[in-house]
Amino acid sequence: MAAAPQRIVDAVLFDTFGTVVDWRSGVTDAVAAIASRCGVEVDAAEFALRWRARYQPSMEPIRNGTREFVNLDELHRENLIATAEEMGLPVDRIEPADLEWLNRAWHRLDGWPDSVPGLAELKRHFIIGPLSNGHVALLTNMAKHAGLLWDVIIGSDVIRAYKPDPNAYLGAARLLDLPPNRVMLCAAHNSDLAAARSVGFRTAFVARPQEYGPTQQTDLHATDAWDVIARDIRDLATQLRDHAT
């Protein structure tokens, strides 16, 4: 009797912002809606890019231990206020409820066209879930909005660590009761994959050349020999399925 096909991993976890969902379009639309409601002109697409640019720097004090852990909603809110001041969006003219709605744009992002069908195929064979700097509430709301078929949601607030802190990856593996080499991270960001591989994860790169818009210059292609290099999440599912046949 032939041996059963062997999967290379048991769980496939995903970077979420940019890899699974299109944050730039969703945030741009939310900024434009609030600016219109306030009667001010603002370059909504540029606002979204500048807001996102504060993302990693705002987490660094938490990673280096000089600030207590706070979730991503709090960091996004701080970054929103700073970006609004920089871009001339008058926060004092925005109703508190509207400001909260804008900040929670990150909860309401749409998936890339291949995300839901690709995840559905992967879910047939693997544990799937986000390995994101988002927290449980954000990732749950995003999953409900975009129809993301996660088996498990491991938020940064559960592990209390932000990638690329090694504990962010290792903590996820521990919660799944899996050794790191039985977990794969799929990401559109080479640096995220490098951090995951450094702690023993398997790795998959999916290019998202429009994540930052038409002028994007980084992560246009894989910069290392990751375990899988895929066109999109559907292609990742096909490659992992074929690997086990």
Side-chain angles (χ1 to χ4, degrees), residues 65-81:
T66 59
R67 181 179 184 180
E68 291 288 329
F69 182 89
V70 296
N71 71 31
L72 198 54
D73 276 350
E74 181 62 31
L75 295 179
H76 274 154
R77 188 177 296 105
E78 294 170 2
N79 295 340
L80 168 59
I81 299 302

Side-chain angles (χ1 to χ4, degrees), residues 110-137:
D110 294 333
W112 298 106
D114 59 278
S115 292
V116 170
L119 292 176
E121 178 61 26
L122 283 165
K123 186 181 176 73
R124 295 175 56 201
H125 307 286
F126 304 93
I127 298 165
I128 62 170
L131 203 175
S132 169
N133 286 328
H135 48 291
V136 171

Side-chain angles (χ1 to χ4, degrees), residues 13-221:
L13 303 182
F14 287 82
D15 170 70
T16 306
F17 297 114
T19 301
V20 178
V21 297
D22 174 11
W23 60 264
R24 183 177 63 90
S25 296
V27 173
T28 297
D29 289 347
V31 172
I34 291 297
S36 176
R37 191 174 304 177
C38 294
V40 298
E41 291 188 7
V42 66
D43 184 335
E46 179 63 21
F47 191 108
L49 291 173
R50 294 193 189 188
W51 191 0
R52 177 66 173 180
R54 296 177 184 273
Y55 174 77
Q56 287 293 345
S58 70
M59 288 182 280
E60 189 54 34
I62 297 170
R63 286 192 288 249
N64 66 30
T66 59
R67 181 179 184 180
E68 291 288 329
F69 182 89
V70 296
N71 71 31
L72 198 54
D73 276 350
E74 181 62 31
L75 295 179
H76 274 154
R77 188 177 296 105
E78 294 170 2
N79 295 340
L80 168 59
I81 299 302
T83 306
E85 292 174 352
E86 180 183 40
M87 293 286 293
L89 182 64
V91 174
D92 59 348
R93 289 171 54 184
I94 303 176
E95 293 293 330
D98 288 340
L99 192 65
E100 179 64 12
W101 179 86
L102 176 54
N103 194 52
R104 289 171 68 89
W106 302 90
H107 293 230
R108 304 185 302 270
L109 303 175
D110 294 333
W112 298 106
D114 59 278
S115 292
V116 170
L119 292 176
E121 178 61 26
L122 283 165
K123 186 181 176 73
R124 295 175 56 201
H125 307 286
F126 304 93
I127 298 165
I128 62 170
L131 203 175
S132 169
N133 286 328
H135 48 291
V136 171
L138 183 157
L139 295 169
T140 301
N141 292 334
M142 180 193 295
K144 181 65 71 174
H145 173 85
L148 307 177
L149 305 172
W150 304 130
D151 292 308
V152 62
I153 291 177
I154 302 171
S156 58
D157 51 333
V158 175
I159 302 170
R160 299 185 73 79
Y162 283 124
K163 298 185 298 179
D165 183 331
N167 290 321
Y169 308 95
L170 293 173
R174 284 195 300 270
L175 286 169
L176 294 174
D177 196 22
L178 292 171
N181 69 324
R182 298 303 300 172
V183 182
M184 172 174 280
L185 177 69
C186 175
H189 312 114
N190 288 279
S191 60
D192 199 359
L193 295 178
R197 185 169 65 182
S198 74
V199 299
F201 273 39
R202 306 295 289 268
T203 53
F205 179 82
V206 171
R208 298 298 190 194
Q210 292 299 311
E211 178 185 358
Y212 287 87
T215 61
Q216 181 169 323
Q217 297 181 351
T218 60
D219 292 316
L220 297 174
H221 53 79

